[in-house]
């Protein structure tokens, strides 16, 4: 991968096709940028109208250039693009940055041109970024293959942040704001229409670059999900944080009328599943991307979510507590002996967590040091966020506080410590940064950043979900023809998913006998492959309590079928024991054209129908990932038992979700969707009471 993109991101020679003498024009800006930056490679302007461009010898066409060309910057109208790309291919150009717009984003004719240039490049072994992109930049190599403004891009030295963006304008915005906030950028790529190189490939490239420590990505969509999974796995393996802004919350374009799961499986939910599985942090604003990227540069990632908050202000401590809960952090109280000691030191201090060491610390900074020693020494926490207001920057206390935290860092090694300071000079901030302590003005944003670090710390310690498909002995495959509930349950049972003990009957006598065999209240349901939703046509009768009632229910159901579906001939009735108690949940699968099969879990009833309290994972995954999935729903506490109810068998639920994911992955080519609703959780075990499997049409 590194070699594949090296000509693009580390070129030794660059041709600018459509070169302009006017630095402000699109064909002139890259030349101006490269000259201003001091690019050390060869720069070859190409334009038949000029003998010289911006003081450099110009060439009539790419074939006239005397040496090899690693990268061509293409700034020509769409009408000339195909001819230009053929010329580049013929000249052996190794890569191209294509600024040209008016292609796939403008309709089918432009899309056909884009497909043609992709074919030309692929046949020639030439890599393309774009078309319709803003370009690339590698500041450490003085490589600015972009028509963005160089002065705005060169505010400071290069750094360890790699940026990748489908949007050129947003990518430029993110780059420049990062620079203005003191975040150095190592590599910057905008992919535009992605005729060839896409966001996933660049993430994988960044994962293999030692100079890149943090990856920030922006995308409106992903075209190759297998490549994205591979890229995110590479970043995870390299322990490189990926901060992703995925915009757009449109629903999946698949037909959802027949599947309840499909109606809940919006594209945004599936991106959430992807990010959860691969440890990606999803940001929603530019500020959040850069806050998290800044904190990640220090390389300290707590292995858990237990945070100790310390503050010189009780009110700010409450504010930070709210932020901690929003960030998914935990606030365990300090051990009682530690609280007692803090009370002895500062009688009016807040001692639980957050710790309020009050204004007394202004007069006695040594108290801050002892409280920090006590909190860290307790071993109760994974990270620490400390609000110091202006104490660390005031001339009266600056030196004393600086000495305190230098000693704290020396005594406690690589603890995850973060400061919130106001009125700090750049020198003050740089001092604490050298101690490995990120500094924020806003205490809530500091806590949010620590939540992100904890997210990555947990993710890096966790193995990625296994992608191996586990097929039980005797597992049944999905047929291509429509199937009924009885067949669906048999298939799921063969994959290890517990199902109700059904009896299929085709006469009133068989219905009576089935009831007698169960000898208890039963549910009776119409079974036919053509009838997907039985309740709407009265195809379900509950609490049938005798053999005679079972015979009568059979007659009633068959009469209703003849009325509602007179053309359906292969009809039977399912007799199922009524199972009381337990918690109703919903399991499902939606086979998305981009993501492949995704498994859904949620609580039944109003929580799934109205509140959409559901979570997704991409198949396949193991039981550990299933447990993480279960823990994400808002109603998770219900499974632990409420108001005296017994706790549900979460192990059985995790097993069923994982096995459903294996079934979905193995049958992805034939499967449209699955609904297991309800899936009843019991104190010991679980059981699918209904199941609908829809093959692809």
């Amino acid at each position: 991968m590194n070699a594949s993109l090296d000509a693009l991101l580390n070129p030794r020679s660059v041709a600018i096709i459509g070169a302009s003498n006017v630095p402000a024009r699109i064909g002139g800006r890259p030349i101006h940028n490269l000259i201003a930056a001091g690019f050390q490679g060869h720069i070859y302007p190409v334009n038949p109208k000029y003998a010289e461009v911006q003081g450099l010898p110009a060439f009539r066409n790419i074939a006239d250039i005397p040496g090899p060309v690693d990268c061509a910057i293409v700034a020509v109208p769409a009408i000339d693009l195909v001819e230009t790309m053929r010329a580049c291919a013929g000249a052996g150009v190794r890569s191209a940055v294509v600024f040209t717009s008016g292609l796939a984003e403008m309709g089918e004719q432009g899309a056909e041109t884009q497909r043609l240039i992709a074919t030309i490049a692929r046949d020639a072994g030439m890599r393309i970024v774009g078309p319709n992109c803003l370009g690339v930049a590698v500041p450490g190599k003085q490589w600015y293959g972009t028509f963005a403004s160089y002065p705005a891009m060169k505010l400071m030295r290069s750094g360890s942040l790699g940026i990748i963006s489908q949007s050129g304008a947003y990518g430029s915005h993110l780059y420049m704001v990062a620079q203005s906030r003191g975040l150095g950028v190592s590599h910057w790529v905008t992919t535009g229409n992605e005729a060839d190189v896409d966001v996933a490939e660049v993430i994988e490239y960044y994962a293999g670059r030692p100079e890149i420590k943090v990856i920030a990505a922006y995308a409106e969509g992903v075209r190759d999900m297998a490549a994205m999974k591979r890229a995110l796995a590479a970043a995870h393996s390299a322990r490189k944080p990926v901060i992703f802004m995925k915009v757009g919350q449109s629903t999946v374009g698949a037909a959802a009328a027949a599947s309840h799961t499909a109606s809940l499986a919006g594209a945004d939910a599936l991106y959430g599943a992807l990010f959860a599985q691969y440890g990606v942090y999803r940001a929603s604003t530019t500020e959040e991307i850069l806050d998290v990227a800044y904190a990640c540069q220090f390389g300290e990632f707590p292995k858990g979510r237990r945070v100790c908050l310390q503050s010189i202000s009780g009110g700010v401590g409450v504010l930070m507590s709210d932020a901690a809960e929003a960030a998914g952090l935990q606030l365990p109280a300090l051990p009682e002996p530690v609280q007692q000691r803090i009370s002895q030191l500062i009688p009016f201090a807040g001692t639980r967590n957050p710790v309020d060491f009050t204004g007394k610390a202004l007069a006695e900074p040594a108290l801050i040091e002892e409280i920090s020693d006590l909190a860290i020494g307790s071993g109760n926490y994974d990270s620490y966020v400390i609000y110091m207001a202006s104490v660390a920057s005031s001339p009266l206390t600056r030196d004393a506080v600086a000495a305190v935290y230098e000693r704290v860092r020396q005594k406690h090694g690589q603890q995850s410590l973060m400061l919130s300071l106001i009125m700090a000079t750049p020198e003050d901030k740089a001092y604490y940064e050298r101690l490995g302590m990120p500094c924020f003005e806003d205490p809530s944003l500091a806590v949010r950043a620590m939540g992100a670090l904890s997210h990555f710390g947990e993710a890096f310690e966790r193995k990625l979900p296994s992608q191996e498909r586990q097929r039980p002995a005797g597992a049944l495959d999905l047929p291509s023809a429509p199937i009924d509930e009885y067949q669906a349950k048999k298939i799921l049972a063969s994959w290890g998913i517990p199902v109700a003990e059904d009896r299929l009957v085709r006469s009133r006598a068989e219905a009576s006998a089935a009831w007698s065999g169960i000898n208890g209240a039963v549910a009776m349901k119409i079974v036919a492959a053509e009838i997907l939703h039985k309740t709407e046509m009265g195809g379900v009768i509950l609490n049938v309590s005798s053999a005679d009632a079972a015979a009568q229910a059979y007659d009633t159901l068959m009469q209703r079928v003849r009325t509602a579906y007179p053309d359906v001939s292969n009809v039977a009735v399912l007799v199922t024991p009524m199972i009381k108690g337990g918690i109703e949940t919903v399991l499902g699968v939606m086979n998305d054209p981009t993501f492949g099969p995704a498994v859904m879990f949620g609580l039944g009833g109003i929580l799934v129908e109205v509140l959409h309290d559901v979570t997704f994972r991409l198949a396949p995954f193991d039981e550990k990932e299933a447990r993480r999935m279960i823990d994400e729903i808002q109603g998770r506490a219900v499974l632990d038992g409420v108001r005296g109810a017994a706790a549900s068998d979460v192990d059985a639920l995790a097993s069923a979700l994982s096995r459903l994911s294996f079934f979905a992955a193995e049958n992805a080519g034939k499967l449209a969707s699955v609904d297991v609703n309800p899936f009843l959780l019991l104190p010991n075990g679980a059981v699918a009471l209904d199941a609908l499997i829809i093959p692809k049409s």
Side-chain angles (χ1 to χ4, degrees):
M1 183 64 66
N2 287 0
S4 174
L5 296 185
D6 211 39
L8 179 73
L9 295 176
N10 188 22
R12 291 164 296 180
S13 54
V14 180
I16 299 87
I17 304 175
S20 174
N21 259 319
V22 181
R25 301 192 66 173
I26 288 178
R29 286 195 177 198
I31 301 171
H32 172 79
N33 290 345
L34 293 170
I35 294 172
F39 179 67
Q40 296 300 300
H42 298 288
I43 305 172
Y44 300 119
V46 178
N47 191 322
K49 297 179 181 178
Y50 305 108
E52 184 179 282
V53 171
Q54 296 188 44
L56 298 173
F59 299 86
R60 291 185 57 80
N61 56 62
I62 192 79
D64 291 343
I65 294 174
V69 175
D70 284 340
C71 185
I73 296 175
V74 179
V76 301
I79 194 171
D80 298 325
L81 184 58
V82 171
E83 180 182 350
T84 298
M85 296 307 294
R86 283 180 176 145
C88 288
V93 173
R94 297 176 62 198
S95 68
V97 176
V98 183
F99 295 160
T100 308
S101 59
L103 297 161
E105 77 275 15
M106 297 300 293
E108 182 53 35
Q109 184 175 351
E112 179 58 33
T113 299
Q114 185 169 305
R115 286 191 288 268
L116 180 55
I117 67 166
T119 300
I120 293 168
R122 184 170 56 251
D123 291 345
M126 176 172 55
R127 305 308 309 274
I128 296 177
V129 165
N132 191 31
C133 75
L134 196 61
V136 303
V138 183
K141 300 289 186 180
Q142 296 81 44
W143 167 222
Y144 290 88
T146 175
F147 61 90
S149 172
Y150 170 75
M153 298 188 79
K154 193 58 179 175
L155 294 177
M156 62 172 292
R157 61 178 175 79
S158 64
S160 60
L161 176 62
I163 295 175
I164 169 63
S165 174
Q166 284 178 339
S167 165
Y170 183 75
S172 175
H173 174 81
L174 184 61
Y175 183 110
M176 294 177 187
V177 176
Q179 292 277 49
S180 70
R181 289 184 54 171
L183 273 170
V185 176
S186 172
H187 287 62
W188 176 80
V189 178
T190 64
T191 55
N193 290 5
E194 298 187 343
D196 175 24
V197 176
D198 61 9
V199 166
E201 186 171 3
V202 178
I203 290 174
E204 189 172 1
Y205 177 86
Y206 287 174
R209 300 297 303 184
E211 66 269 36
I212 295 177
K213 306 299 183 186
V214 185
I215 301 169
Y218 169 97
E220 296 157 16
V222 173
R223 64 178 187 179
D224 186 341
M225 195 51 59
M228 180 57 74
K229 290 179 180 178
R230 187 172 62 247
L232 297 179
H236 181 275
S237 178
R239 297 178 67 88
K240 294 189 179 182
V242 177
I243 308 158
F244 212 119
M245 180 184 283
K246 167 62 184 69
V247 296
Q249 299 184 15
S250 59
T251 56
V252 179
S259 169
H260 185 66
T261 303
S263 67
L264 294 168
D268 200 61
L270 301 189
Y271 277 105
L274 172 73
F275 296 155
Q277 281 169 268
Y278 287 88
V280 173
Y281 183 88
R282 186 171 188 179
S284 57
T285 66
T286 302
E287 174 189 62
E288 187 174 10
I289 290 177
L290 297 179
D291 281 350
V292 175
Y294 163 71
C296 285
Q297 289 187 126
F298 294 83
E300 292 182 1
F301 303 104
K303 294 183 180 180
R305 293 185 172 270
R306 301 169 305 165
V307 64
C308 179
L309 304 177
Q310 300 172 30
S311 173
I312 202 165
S313 160
V316 173
V318 176
L319 185 71
M320 294 165 73
S321 298
D322 290 344
E325 182 175 341
L329 294 171
Q330 301 161 4
L331 288 170
L334 282 162
E336 193 61 37
V338 175
Q339 292 191 50
Q340 291 173 4
R341 176 57 182 158
I342 294 174
S343 293
Q344 292 171 358
L345 294 170
I346 306 177
F348 300 104
T351 62
R352 286 181 55 81
N353 188 15
V355 177
D356 173 16
F357 42 68
T358 76
K360 188 174 182 181
L362 292 171
E364 301 180 60
L367 294 174
I368 301 172
E369 182 174 354
E370 185 165 355
I371 290 172
S372 292
D373 285 342
L374 287 167
I376 296 173
S378 73
N380 222 32
Y381 303 99
D382 304 297
S383 61
Y384 306 84
V385 182
I386 306 155
Y387 175 71
M388 293 300 297
S390 60
V391 178
S393 52
S394 167
L396 300 176
T397 51
R398 175 191 289 116
D399 293 343
V401 171
V404 162
Y405 284 114
E406 183 167 3
R407 290 192 295 269
V408 167
R409 178 54 93 189
Q410 289 173 346
K411 285 185 283 188
H412 298 290
Q414 296 303 305
Q415 295 288 334
S416 294
L417 303 172
M418 188 175 289
L419 290 178
S420 175
L421 313 172
I422 56 175
M423 305 297 291
T425 66
E427 292 75 21
D428 293 335
K429 184 179 177 184
Y431 173 81
Y432 290 109
E433 289 175 340
R434 285 193 295 272
L435 294 177
M437 301 175 71
C439 299
F440 289 83
E441 283 191 339
D442 189 309
S444 297
L445 298 185
V447 172
R448 182 179 68 179
M450 186 62 83
L453 295 183
S454 299
H455 165 90
F456 287 121
E458 287 185 337
F460 293 151
E461 293 302 310
R462 183 178 70 243
K463 289 185 178 180
L464 292 179
S466 171
Q467 294 296 302
E468 294 182 9
R469 300 174 181 176
Q470 299 181 17
R471 184 184 181 92
L476 301 175
D477 285 327
L478 179 64
S480 56
I483 61 174
D484 59 33
E485 178 187 340
Y486 182 70
Q487 294 169 303
K489 285 180 176 175
K490 282 186 66 176
I491 292 172
L492 294 177
S494 76
W495 283 85
I497 298 165
V499 302
E501 191 178 337
D502 298 328
R503 289 166 169 79
L504 193 68
V505 302
R506 296 185 181 277
S507 70
R508 64 193 325 271
E510 289 181 359
S512 294
W515 188 93
S516 298
I518 295 171
N519 195 25
V522 302
M524 296 179 64
K525 297 183 278 186
I526 286 294
V527 175
E530 297 89 342
I531 303 174
L532 300 179
H533 300 291
K534 299 176 281 287
T535 304
E536 289 83 347
M537 50 80 62
V540 179
I541 299 177
L542 304 176
N543 293 308
V544 179
S545 56
S546 69
D548 289 342
Q552 181 59 47
Y554 178 87
D555 290 340
T556 300
L557 290 171
M558 296 305 289
Q559 179 58 48
R560 289 173 179 173
V561 170
R562 286 191 289 271
T563 300
Y565 294 94
D567 296 330
V568 175
S569 56
N570 187 18
V571 180
V573 171
L574 209 60
V575 182
T576 305
M578 293 289 295
I579 302 175
K580 296 183 179 180
I583 301 293
E584 288 191 4
T585 68
V586 180
L587 317 186
V589 176
M590 172 64 192
N591 199 354
D592 180 80
T594 299
F595 292 86
V599 176
M600 181 197 79
F601 165 67
L603 296 179
I606 191 171
L607 292 174
V608 69
E609 297 288 348
V610 178
L611 301 182
H612 291 184
D613 184 16
V614 297
T615 182
F616 287 85
R617 286 295 188 276
L618 306 184
F621 52 84
D622 57 21
E623 291 185 22
K624 287 184 179 180
E625 189 65 25
R627 279 188 164 276
R628 293 184 62 239
M629 180 183 183
I630 294 164
D631 289 343
E632 287 177 359
I633 62 169
Q634 297 175 32
R636 170 64 178 83
V638 172
L639 303 182
D640 295 328
V642 293
R643 296 186 178 180
S648 300
D649 190 341
V650 176
D651 288 340
L653 173 59
S655 174
L657 285 166
S658 178
R659 291 172 183 270
L660 182 60
S661 81
F662 296 140
F663 163 74
E666 188 73 14
N667 291 275
K670 296 181 286 185
L671 178 66
S673 65
V674 178
D675 282 322
V676 182
N677 184 15
F679 185 74
L680 190 65
L681 289 187
L682 302 168
N684 292 292
V687 60
L689 300 183
D690 201 349
L692 171 66
I693 301 179
I694 302 176
K696 283 184 178 179
S697 56

